[in-house]
């Protein structure tokens, strides 16, 4: 813990109305045309309009890619890369949830290094930096705007490929709470629980540092307080701001300390059954946390305390034990469905073996405070139903 590196974008801009600065910022740093990567719903509802307006007012030429709904596949990457090259673009602006930001990072990666996403999911891959990415999140959850990670689904195998490199960290993260107000309650809940999972796992990760742990604790405390408010009252400006700030804090924390078993198990759920990433994390969080408590009861106790559990007078093990019920109650408040509502027992049994292998291959479970064997992971999937 006493020797560490900390990576983040060169610029982090936060506050209401900050989307208006993207045009002047890009123009001051980039010459040529940019590729704006967003989603079709954001384009249709006008949520991305402040970004479009800023680019136009700054006379920044751009091409638009708004074809990807949800999590990007390798085919989406191919299509966006072809457009980037056809339009002779020199940089990317990603506006959306984790999907558009992951897609933009992958385009930058492959434009500079060639190959396919699968080539960089293996350990030891060291790509060079590609065209710069400017990231504007419209959800308070993924933290992708400050991380060097991208997740792409292999269209051939349906495996979620996790690629991590300092070369993928955006050059600037612009966080405008006004961009998050278009999220419906279900998306607010799922992305907020994703951010909470980042906060919890980065705090207990074997790679946590003196720099990341305070960020993790602050994020967890903010989310347990303000996420239910943002879910219940979408126009609550304070709640939206605090949730986005918590997502930023948790993003910076996990980008530098990594995530753990929940994320490792969540990725195959998305790849095999189409469960959105944030929802996958939310469905597994209580069960996996209960399993992991004995690995570091002191840190889980501090999390429980920061999240408002009545830990006074309790030893670490007893205080840590208050965390899973707290997570269960929060998920119920936010209307998070059980895993069984998305995946049947038979479907899970048919895919469980390969899901366990893919979870372990992601590397994230190695950071968990309690080691999980293949048998443990298979059992946890069943318990989460």
């Amino acid at each position: 813990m006493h020797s560490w590196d900390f990576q983040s974008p060169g610029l982090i801009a936060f506050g209401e109305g900050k989307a208006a600065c993207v045009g002047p910022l890009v123009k001051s740093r980039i010459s040529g045309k940019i590729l704006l990567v967003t989603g079709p719903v954001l384009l249709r509802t006008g949520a991305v309009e402040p970004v479009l307006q800023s680019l136009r007012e700054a006379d920044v030429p751009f091409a638009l890619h708004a074809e990807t709904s949800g999590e990007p596949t390798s085919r989406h990457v191919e299509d966006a890369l072809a457009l980037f090259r056809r339009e002779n673009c020199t940089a990317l602006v990603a506006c959306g949830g984790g999907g558009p930001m992951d897609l933009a990072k992958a385009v930058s990666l492959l434009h500079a290094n060639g190959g396919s996403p699968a080539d960089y999911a293996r350990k030891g891959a060291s790509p060079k930096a590609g065209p710069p990415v400017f990231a504007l999140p419209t959800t308070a959850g993924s933290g992708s705007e400050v991380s060097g990670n991208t997740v792409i689904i292999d269209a051939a195998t349906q495996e979620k490929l996790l690629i991590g490199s300092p070369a993928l960290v955006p050059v600037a993260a612009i966080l405008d709470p006004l961009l998050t107000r278009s999220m419906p309650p279900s998306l607010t809940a799922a992305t907020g629980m994703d951010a909470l999972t980042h906060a919890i796992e980065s705090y207990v990760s074997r790679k946590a540092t003196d720099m990341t742990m305070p960020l993790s604790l602050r994020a967890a405390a903010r989310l347990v307080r303000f996420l239910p408010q943002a879910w219940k009252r979408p126009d609550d400006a304070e709640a939206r701001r605090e949730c986005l700030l918590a997502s930023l804090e948790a993003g910076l924390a996990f980008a530098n300390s990594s995530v753990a078993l929940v994320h490792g198990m969540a990725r195959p759920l998305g790849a095999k059954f189409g469960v959105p990433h944030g929802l996958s994390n939310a469905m597994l969080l209580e069960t996996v946390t209960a399993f992991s408590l004995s690995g570091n009861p002191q840190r889980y106790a501090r999390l429980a305390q920061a999240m408002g559990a009545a830990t006074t007078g309790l030893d670490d093990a007893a205080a840590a034990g208050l965390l899973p019920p707290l997570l269960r109650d929060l998920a119920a408040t936010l209307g998070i469905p059980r895993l069984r509502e998305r995946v049947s027992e038979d479907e899970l049994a048919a895919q469980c073996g390969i899901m366990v292998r893919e979870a372990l291959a992601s590397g994230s479970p190695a950071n968990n405070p309690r080691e999980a064997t293949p048998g443990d992971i298979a059992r946890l999937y069943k318990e989460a139903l």
Side-chain angles (χ1 to χ4, degrees), residues 342-383:
R342 292 297 187 95
V343 182
S344 72
E345 187 173 355
D346 289 343
E347 288 173 325
L348 182 63
Q351 295 284 346
C352 194
I354 190 169
M355 289 168 62
V356 170
R357 290 194 296 273
E358 290 181 1
L360 288 168
S362 73
S364 299
N367 304 316
N368 209 56
R370 179 182 174 185
E371 182 180 356
T373 66
D376 290 329
I377 295 175
R379 176 174 54 81
L380 289 169
Y381 275 129
K382 294 174 183 176
E383 288 183 4

Side-chain angles (χ1 to χ4, degrees), residues 8-376:
S8 69
L11 171 68
I12 299 174
F14 184 96
E16 285 82 352
K18 280 293 186 180
C21 81
V22 64
L25 177 63
V26 170
K27 188 159 189 173
S28 70
R29 298 192 179 193
I30 302 298
S31 60
K33 197 173 192 178
I34 63 104
L35 180 64
L36 173 60
V37 181
T38 188
V41 175
L42 293 169
L43 189 64
R44 185 171 65 251
T45 61
V48 74
E49 186 57 35
V51 178
L52 292 169
Q53 182 178 346
S54 179
L55 293 172
R56 291 173 183 138
E57 290 179 352
D59 293 322
V60 176
F62 65 90
L64 179 65
H65 185 281
E67 308 300 324
T68 308
S69 297
E71 297 171 356
T73 71
S74 52
R75 290 199 181 97
H76 293 132
V77 176
E78 292 170 3
D79 291 344
L81 177 59
L83 178 61
F84 183 89
R85 289 173 170 168
R86 189 166 62 247
E87 295 288 335
N88 295 314
C89 295
T90 59
L92 300 103
V93 171
C95 181
M101 289 187 281
D102 281 355
L103 179 58
K105 291 177 186 179
V107 169
S108 176
L109 172 76
L110 297 189
H111 180 74
N113 296 274
S116 70
D119 297 327
Y120 303 95
R122 66 183 186 275
K123 292 182 179 179
S126 300
K128 63 183 179 181
V133 175
F134 300 79
L136 295 95
T138 60
T139 65
S142 78
S144 185
E145 69 276 3
V146 293
S147 86
N149 297 327
T150 183
V151 178
I152 303 297
I153 299 174
D154 189 304
T157 65
Q158 292 304 300
E159 179 182 357
K160 276 195 175 183
L161 304 171
L162 173 62
I163 305 167
S165 169
L168 294 177
V169 178
V171 297
I174 303 166
L175 298 98
D176 187 337
L178 297 178
L179 295 181
T180 71
R181 294 178 70 173
S182 64
M183 282 193 296
S186 60
L187 186 58
T188 297
T191 56
M193 290 296 284
D194 188 18
L196 182 59
T197 307
H198 294 153
I200 291 172
E201 292 207 295
S202 62
Y203 187 71
V204 301
S205 169
R206 294 173 185 264
K207 295 180 180 177
T209 72
D210 292 325
M211 184 72 174
T212 64
M213 291 173 69
L215 290 167
S216 304
L217 277 183
R218 288 203 303 269
R222 284 187 208 280
L223 286 163
V224 76
R225 177 181 176 187
F226 289 103
L227 179 55
Q229 293 183 31
W231 175 79
K232 187 176 182 180
R233 297 188 295 273
D235 291 331
D236 187 321
E238 180 186 25
R240 289 295 192 194
R241 184 186 314 113
E242 292 294 319
C243 284
L244 187 59
L245 181 55
S247 176
L248 170 62
E249 291 172 325
L252 288 167
F254 92 80
N256 288 278
S257 66
S258 194
V259 285
L261 183 57
V262 177
H263 272 74
M265 291 179 60
R267 292 186 192 104
L269 280 178
K272 306 304 179 190
F273 303 111
V275 181
H277 175 68
L279 196 57
S280 297
N281 281 333
M283 291 172 169
L284 295 170
L285 184 56
E286 177 202 348
T287 300
V288 176
T289 297
F291 165 83
S292 304
L293 295 180
S294 62
N296 199 328
Q298 181 181 35
R299 289 197 196 173
Y300 282 110
R302 290 195 66 191
L303 277 165
Q305 181 182 34
M307 294 171 66
T311 60
T312 303
L314 301 180
D315 63 21
D316 286 342
L322 299 177
L323 188 56
L326 188 157
L327 296 173
R328 180 174 62 248
D329 292 345
L330 179 60
T333 295
L334 299 174
I336 300 294
R338 294 285 297 184
L339 180 56
R340 68 175 70 96
E341 296 176 47
R342 292 297 187 95
V343 182
S344 72
E345 187 173 355
D346 289 343
E347 288 173 325
L348 182 63
Q351 295 284 346
C352 194
I354 190 169
M355 289 168 62
V356 170
R357 290 194 296 273
E358 290 181 1
L360 288 168
S362 73
S364 299
N367 304 316
N368 209 56
R370 179 182 174 185
E371 182 180 356
T373 66
D376 290 329

